């Protein structure tokens, strides 16, 4: 068949525009496309919850792609093995309770699982602010293209209305830091200092414990949860991240029901 370049252009622009308009109002907006939010996105979308994920980079997957120091392997502990099974990620037991998976396959299947469940992804989109009402309740995100932020261009953003926001932006805890800067009383005077040095044992345990609703309508997940709470980082063991995403989804579902 012959190909018409204009038809190709129209197909891309029209299809994306339809999706963008459809997801300008969502139930849950996830910021950051790391493993925790990928798990959360799948669980939410499977429950029929209108879910959109916004990632400022070109690719989603966070730090999982590179495994440990660019060795494309990750470790997942026994407690989170069921999530590997849920996404169809292959693995082998290295020692009792320690499971090794290919990091590239892991990211690919996390992405596939979330998108196949019905979550919509918007990459190269930066959440530069939150949207509020008169009582400082958070009701959405303020977004712009990442190249606009990188270039420092004076281009006004657009907005997405959301009932719940999940901050899964990793070490920077970007949404929480924005809220702290612009609503100083938001966290009861708590100052976000970032995560402590690496300790796999406590870091993995606490990343799940720290996955909480930290402000009405704002949940933290993954490394952002430990950065918010000032808990240790954990390195290339990802069970806690996956479990954090699972917990974040359940917290969001409970919030929506209430």
């Amino acid at each position: 068949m012959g190909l018409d370049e204009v038809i190709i252009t129209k197909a891309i622009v029209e299809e994306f525009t339809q999706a963008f308009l459809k997801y300008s109002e969502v139930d849950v907006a996830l910021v950051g496309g790391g493993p925790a939010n990928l798990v959360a996105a799948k669980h939410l979308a499977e429950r029929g919850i209108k879910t959109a994920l916004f990632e400022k980079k070109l690719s989603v997957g966070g730090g999982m792609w590179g495994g440990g120091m660019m060795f494309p392997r990750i470790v997942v502990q026994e407690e989170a093995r069921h999530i590997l099974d849920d996404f169809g990620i292959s693995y082998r037991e290295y020692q009792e309770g320690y499971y090794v998976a290919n990091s590239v396959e892991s990211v690919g299947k996390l992405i596939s699982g979330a998108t196949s469940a019905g979550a919509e992804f918007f990459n190269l989109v930066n959440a530069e602010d939150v949207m509020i009402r008169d009582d400082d309740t958070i009701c959405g995100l303020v977004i712009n293209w990442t190249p606009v932020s990188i270039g420092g261009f004076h281009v006004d953003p657009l907005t997405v209305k959301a009932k719940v926001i999940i901050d899964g932006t990793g070490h920077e805890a970007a949404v929480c830091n924005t809220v702290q800067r612009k609503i100083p009383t938001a966290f009861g005077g708590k100052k976000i200092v970032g995560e402590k040095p690496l300790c796999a044992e406590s870091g993995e345990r606490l990343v799940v414990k720290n996955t909480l609703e930290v402000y009405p309508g704002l949940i933290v997940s993954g490394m952002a949860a430990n950065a918010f709470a000032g808990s240790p980082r954990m390195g290339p063991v990802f069970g806690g991240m996956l479990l954090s995403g699972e917990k974040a989804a359940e917290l969001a579902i409970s919030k929506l029901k209430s």
Side-chain angles (χ1 to χ4, degrees):
M1 59 175 278
L3 289 173
D4 186 319
E5 294 87 353
V6 174
I7 293 175
I8 295 168
T9 297
K10 287 181 176 179
I12 291 170
V13 173
E14 287 181 10
E15 288 294 320
F16 176 79
T17 302
Q18 289 173 16
F20 189 84
L21 292 174
K22 179 181 178 181
Y23 286 88
S24 62
E25 293 186 64
V26 298
D27 294 320
V28 180
L30 300 105
V31 184
N37 271 5
L38 292 174
V39 172
K42 177 178 184 290
H43 282 275
L44 290 164
E46 282 178 336
R47 302 281 281 271
I49 293 167
K50 194 174 182 182
T51 304
L53 185 149
F54 299 90
E55 168 58 55
K56 71 177 183 179
K57 295 181 180 178
L58 176 61
S59 63
V60 298
M64 186 179 272
W65 287 108
M69 211 178 79
M70 296 193 295
F71 296 113
R73 298 293 184 274
I74 60 167
V75 172
V76 172
Q77 62 272 49
E78 178 64 42
E79 292 84 350
R81 183 160 62 104
H82 69 277
I83 300 177
L84 298 181
D85 292 330
D86 183 38
F87 281 85
I89 298 169
S90 56
Y91 56 87
R92 76 176 190 88
E93 189 172 26
Y94 179 72
Q95 289 184 15
E96 184 177 357
Y98 292 80
Y99 299 90
V100 179
N102 183 298
S103 63
V104 177
E105 179 197 356
S106 298
V107 177
K109 288 187 173 177
L110 289 173
I111 295 168
S112 177
T115 53
S116 296
E120 187 69 40
F121 283 26
F122 297 91
N123 60 335
L124 287 171
V125 173
N126 182 40
E128 66 176 45
D129 203 349
V130 294
M131 189 164 58
I132 62 168
R133 290 295 176 259
D134 289 340
D135 59 355
D136 286 343
T137 56
I138 296 174
C139 59
L141 295 172
V142 180
I143 60 170
N144 215 327
W145 298 114
T146 300
V148 170
S149 303
I150 293 173
F153 303 131
H154 185 72
V155 177
D156 278 330
L158 295 174
T159 54
V160 173
K161 189 174 182 180
K163 298 172 185 174
V164 178
I165 295 169
I166 300 179
D167 182 355
T169 57
H171 301 278
E172 57 185 321
V175 179
C176 290
N177 271 294
T178 295
V179 171
Q180 178 180 252
R181 186 174 72 254
K182 295 197 166 188
I183 310 174
T185 59
F187 306 126
K190 171 183 169 58
K191 181 175 175 56
I192 303 170
V193 296
E195 81 273 3
K196 289 181 178 179
L198 191 149
C199 177
E201 169 64 28
S202 58
E204 283 291 281
R205 173 173 44 83
L206 291 172
V207 74
V208 181
K209 180 181 178 182
N210 294 333
T211 300
L212 299 167
E213 183 182 21
V214 295
Y215 189 75
L218 175 60
I219 295 167
V220 285
S221 71
M223 200 61 234
N226 276 9
F228 180 88
S231 298
R233 61 189 299 187
M234 67 288 291
V237 53
F238 281 87
M241 294 291 189
L242 304 179
L243 292 167
S244 171
E246 199 173 58
K247 182 180 177 183
E250 291 305 318
L251 289 171
I253 291 166
S254 295
K255 180 72 176 178
L256 292 170
K257 287 180 177 179
S258 67

